[in-house]
Amino acid sequence: MPSNKSVSDAPIVQFTNCRILKDHQLQREDLWVREGKILNPEKLFFDEKGSADVQLDCKDSIIAPGFIDVQINGGFGVDFSLATDDFKSGIDLVSQKILSHGVTSFCPTLVTSPPSVYHQVLPQISVRNGGAHGAGILGAHLEGPFISKEKKGAHPEHCLRTFEAGAFQDLLATYGSLNCVQIVTLAPEMRRSSEVIRELTKRGICVSLGHSVANLSQAEEAVQHGATFITHLFNAMLPFHHRDPGIVGLLTSDKIPAGRRVFYGMISDGIHTNPAALRIAHRAHPKGLVLVTDAIAGMGLAPGRHTLGQQVVEIDGLNTYIAGTKTLSGSVATMDTCVRHFQEATGCSVETALEAASLHPAQLLGIEHKKGTLNYDSDADFLMLNDSLYVQATYIAGEEVWRQDVSGM
């Protein structure tokens, strides 16, 4: 057998008998992996005269890029907005547990909190690759406190803030550091928000519009200054109105700068967004839809009382409310559930549903050259799924990190 030693000693794994999500289509071809990357088999055969060291029969599974969750507040009893001494072990627990739901990378999300919480928590979040220890961390998503009082949702009003004269300095003083920050959600109608959006964008931080009473022209202006995302569309914003569609109008706006795409998060849990609203958004702007869980500490736990930052929340089935009210506060849905619900509700193709949780969030964060696709040389973070889109196995950097236990079935 020809050797591949000339280029690399690393073993080459060939995944056979599978359908790969590539170029927006499920294609019947093998997947080749070496040193944590997707390999081009033609180069291997013709340039290196190499072949696979290991072959794995996927038994006709779908292979899709790993899911990327850009808005997750916690789960399994861990709340990312609580400053605790064992915060690191909490984030490790969540990153381990979400592997079974197909999430290979995520943005731990902090809801509106006092400055002291940001100052304690943010230094404990570090960007890191995924592996057997858990999903990779892409950076924090800071949702608030620079948001609208009228649309605060589950965010505590006493912690909300506005931008004063030195707007960007206010933000820095509140957060303490932007070192590991990937996304900031703010309300674009706030005075001086434009300069903040420009400064954040300049630093490579994604600005998302949410918890807001902005009209369409304020939202368009924010996009012209660099905003590229909408936090949980339809939730915590003005409802669509035909004379001024508000932030929702960005989906079909003709004032988006050339070459720019606006993405929008959707909590596809069957609770936060009626299936008809999900269909409207998807049909209006399919390439911008990003599935997010907006999961809270109660995800994966029994119904009852749990926390979301400074608030107590009550879980009743799939509904999560601020205790004693009917204000929705995050979700307990897992990412694989959201993907299946999205496909069912919209009747979209399997490919479209999978890309909403992988390719689109990667494009939003500008990391699509390494995550969110199965293109050659991209990171070998991928899932094996059955035809009903249930995750059977999760791989990070080409290594199996989770597999469905079928022994009891």
Side-chain angles (χ1 to χ4, degrees), residues 28 104 224 242:
R28 191 163 279 289
T104 53
Q224 283 150 14
H242 58 285

Side-chain angles (χ1 to χ4, degrees), residues 277-297:
L278 202 50
R279 289 192 284 276
I280 286 170
H282 177 245
R283 288 175 194 176
H285 184 27
K287 287 189 162 63
L289 194 148
V290 172
L291 292 176
V292 298
T293 60
D294 197 19
I296 63 167

Side-chain angles (χ1 to χ4, degrees), residues 62-136:
I62 292 169
I63 291 192
F67 299 149
I68 298 170
D69 193 351
V70 300
Q71 187 175 7
I72 169 171
N73 310 291
F76 316 100
V78 175
D79 185 340
F80 297 146
S81 303
L82 285 185
T84 57
D85 294 338
D86 60 348
F87 182 85
K88 278 199 167 83
S89 59
I91 209 164
D92 289 348
L93 176 75
V94 174
S95 61
Q96 176 71 54
K97 293 271 199 181
I98 56 181
L99 294 174
S100 64
H101 302 295
V103 177
T104 53
S105 305
F106 70 109
C107 294
T109 303
L110 278 72
V111 295
T112 294
S113 303
S116 59
V117 169
Y118 298 113
H119 292 205
Q120 272 179 277
V121 168
L122 289 180
Q124 298 187 70
I125 297 176
S126 47
V127 174
R128 68 179 187 208
N129 291 326
H133 58 274

Side-chain angles (χ1 to χ4, degrees), residues 236-251:
M237 58 187 61
L238 292 177
F240 177 88
H241 188 281
H242 58 285
R243 277 195 287 277
D244 191 336
I247 289 178
V248 177
L250 287 175
L251 271 61

